[in-house]
Amino acid sequence: MPQADRRWNKGWTRRDVLRCMGGAALGALGAAAAGREILSGLWRWAEAAESPEDRKSTIDVQAEERFRVTAACLLLTPYRDENLTHHRPHPMRAAALEAVEPFEDHPCAKLFREWGAFGSKFYTLAAWLTPSPPFRWLLPFCEVTGRTISAYEVEKFDLEARYPTLLTSFREEARLPELWASTQAEWEEVCEQCRRGLERYDVEGWMESFWGPAPKRLVLVPNPTDPPSFGFAPSNPREAFCIIGPPAVPRSAPEELAAKQFDYGSTPSTASLAVHEFGHTLIDAAADELSKAAKETEDIGKRLELKDWFPRMYPDWRSQLCEMILRAVQCVWRAETVSRESADEVIEAETQRFGIEPLPLIYQLFREERQAGKTVGPSGCVKLARRALTQFSKQCSADD
Ligand SMILES: [Zn+2]
């Protein structure tokens, strides 16, 4: 079995497979043949025993083929120009761009442009593909759409039939395996830099101590060809991904410094992004509580004067609240592993920049809980954030 498939084996239990099969039996309708193939794959994953270390919150770092091919195709869309006005592209991007440029008219590239050019949609789809080519959906397509992409306005059957096939053929026609082979040392180096970055700031240990054991396999995927500093957190039922673009290196940085700044492990930023992006998956265990808290505090949300790209990126109060919680979590991690001062600076800067005024109070309550030596966990985060919002609201009334 190829390496990627063996890794993918980790952690599936017979119960998961039976649950998937149940869903498939109800919903497979038109996709019986493809469904059978996928289900036999699920059985294969289930054969791998769940050992105790699988349940620990370790983070695997790897270049994931489904995301790497997606990123290469995104280089043929306007997405490739994001965040490059003031930042340099990663040195690995040039070779990828050269390889894919002649395939601008490939139907996969056309499809990407047709569906909108931003990365998150395509990485979400990629998370539901098999890890190795030829790509197929991990679950019957109806299950995938039910869970993740129903909101996307794409023709269901068009997407079902064309997407994995087109991505697979794009990979072959653009000869991406040859590119990966010729740049293998660079890919390995980038993964190694990420591992160093995670280890240096104890991300695995810290996340377990803050959230408790992770419910899914955590995989960090560096995507050096992406726009600088971009991060995404797609997941499927068994895996949570943190996809990270290259570090943001200013165009003004002198050449000799730039090479050093492109090192994913040289600053706390990789670790910080991992804490944030995995946080999206980890807080999901309290998704209902978060929805309830957002509903109860909607008036507070309406009073905030949000600024910069924050309200555009997070258009509803629930996602704004979730972002504040995760930014507070990120700064708790920063205070405990980097420095208290730098955490306070980030809290201050983000509050000012985005107008997210309850952030310092949420952060403060999280810090107090941690100083009492506690694992906060998903429900704990929502409860404390709820309490912070009540305090914030009282402060505002007193000021009025
Ligand atoms: Zn976020």
Side-chain angles (χ1 to χ4, degrees), residues 231 233 276-277 279-280 310 313-314 319 322-324 326-327 330:
H276 182 97
E277 299 299 345
H280 274 287
F310 198 89
M313 206 70 141
Y314 313 107
S319 62
C322 182
E323 272 305 306
M324 281 195 278
L326 295 180
R327 279 155 203 268
Q330 228 176 329

Side-chain angles (χ1 to χ4, degrees), residues 148-360:
T148 65
I149 51 178
S150 55
Y152 296 149
E153 291 168 1
V154 285
E155 282 286 316
K156 181 184 166 218
F157 293 103
D158 191 40
L159 180 69
E160 172 174 22
R162 287 169 73 202
Y163 188 70
T165 317
L166 284 182
L167 199 64
T168 306
S169 89
F170 175 76
R171 176 181 177 272
E172 281 160 18
E173 284 175 39
R175 297 190 176 173
L176 293 179
E178 284 173 31
L179 172 68
W180 308 151
S182 68
T183 50
Q184 198 186 344
E186 282 108 306
W187 281 97
E188 278 169 13
E189 173 57 22
V190 158
C191 287
E192 202 40 49
Q193 290 171 356
C194 290
R195 283 186 204 105
R196 278 202 297 271
L198 294 178
E199 209 172 297
R200 192 159 152 204
Y201 299 102
D202 188 31
V203 176
E204 292 179 344
W206 187 87
M207 287 209 308
E208 180 137 354
S209 85
F210 186 91
W211 292 105
K216 295 183 184 188
R217 181 182 168 228
L218 305 177
V219 190
L220 186 124
V221 182
N223 253 357
T225 62
D226 251 7
S229 81
F230 272 37
F232 299 99
S235 65
N236 62 40
R238 301 296 301 173
E239 299 168 304
F241 300 98
C242 166
I243 299 175
I244 45 176
V249 178
R251 286 204 178 267
S252 56
E255 208 61 49
E256 61 279 13
L257 260 184
K260 213 171 161 216
Q261 290 176 346
F262 273 123
D263 182 341
Y264 273 86
S266 66
T267 67
S269 68
T270 294
S272 175
L273 213 56
V275 169
H276 182 97
E277 299 299 345
F278 286 131
H280 274 287
T281 297
L282 297 165
I283 200 170
D284 230 28
D288 291 344
E289 286 152 274
L290 181 63
S291 299
K292 193 166 167 260
K295 218 171 173 165
E296 287 164 358
T297 54
E298 213 150 23
D299 287 351
I300 302 173
K302 276 185 198 142
R303 284 217 302 264
L304 300 178
E305 284 174 30
L306 301 173
K307 291 185 282 194
D308 216 315
W309 49 257
F310 198 89
R312 188 161 36 92
M313 206 70 141
Y314 313 107
D316 59 281
W317 172 234
R318 187 190 186 280
S319 62
Q320 290 159 4
L321 177 58
C322 182
E323 272 305 306
M324 281 195 278
I325 292 174
L326 295 180
R327 279 155 203 268
V329 171
Q330 228 176 329
C331 284
V332 174
W333 160 80
R334 186 176 279 277
E336 293 178 10
T337 61
V338 184
S339 74
R340 170 74 200 266
E341 293 72 28
S342 75
D344 290 351
E345 274 167 28
V346 174
I347 287 287
E348 169 74 19
E350 300 225 323
T351 306
Q352 296 302 326
R353 179 177 176 191
F354 300 124
I356 43 181
E357 289 182 319
L359 181 65

